[in-house]
Amino acid sequence: QMQLEESGGRMVQAGASLRLSCAASGRDFSTYTMGWFRQAQGKQREFVAAISPRSGTRIYGDSVQGRFAISRDNVKNTVYLQMNNLKPEDTAVYSCAAKGGNPGRNSGDYWYWGQGTQVTVSS
């Protein structure tokens, strides 16, 4: 089992930056691909970013490419999502997730999930 806990979400103005953190406990964090997903009210869950166990591969959703950056610290058992130039359409609950194997965009492939943290971007 792996437990994931997100933090860092809050309300910001458009154009601001924000860094989310996801702390993992339980099984060996460094062996898992980690991902970030988001879900806006009334919409389907959307892939944001994912990173391979040793950070060699990072992939991003089209809507955040160039603005968001995923990183991880395998000593601190934490994955981060740096979000720059935030837009109102980035408003959502952001959740981190863990899976085995290579990074992927399909939420159904992820095994463990956090509860999420709310990010609200005002215009």
Side-chain angles (χ1 to χ4, degrees):
Q1 279 284 25
M2 174 182 282
Q3 292 77 44
L4 302 172
E5 184 173 4
E6 303 91 341
S7 62
R10 60 184 180 94
M11 179 179 288
V12 297
Q13 290 191 330
S17 296
L18 198 59
R19 189 177 80 158
L20 304 182
S21 300
C22 173
S25 60
R27 301 184 69 172
D28 193 353
F29 174 79
S30 65
T31 67
Y32 286 85
T33 278
M34 299 300 298
W36 284 97
F37 292 80
R38 67 185 183 185
Q39 188 165 20
Q41 193 169 6
K43 295 187 177 181
Q44 289 189 331
R45 181 179 284 165
E46 177 188 10
F47 170 75
V48 176
I51 186 169
S52 60
R54 302 299 181 184
S55 303
T57 300
R58 308 177 198 211
I59 59 173
Y60 296 93
D62 292 342
S63 61
V64 306
Q65 180 77 47
R67 297 189 298 124
F68 290 11
I70 189 170
S71 61
R72 66 190 295 162
D73 186 331
N74 287 344
V75 174
K76 295 182 178 179
N77 286 0
T78 301
V79 61
Y80 305 98
L81 185 67
Q82 177 66 42
M83 304 185 294
N84 299 322
N85 189 25
L86 282 161
K87 304 175 181 181
E89 51 265 42
D90 294 319
T91 295
V93 174
Y94 285 72
S95 299
C96 67
K99 68 184 290 291
N102 294 325
R105 302 169 183 269
N106 185 357
S107 62
D109 293 334
Y110 285 76
W111 303 343
Y112 304 109
W113 289 83
Q115 293 297 312
T117 185
Q118 176 71 47
V119 173
T120 302
V121 184
S122 62
S123 57

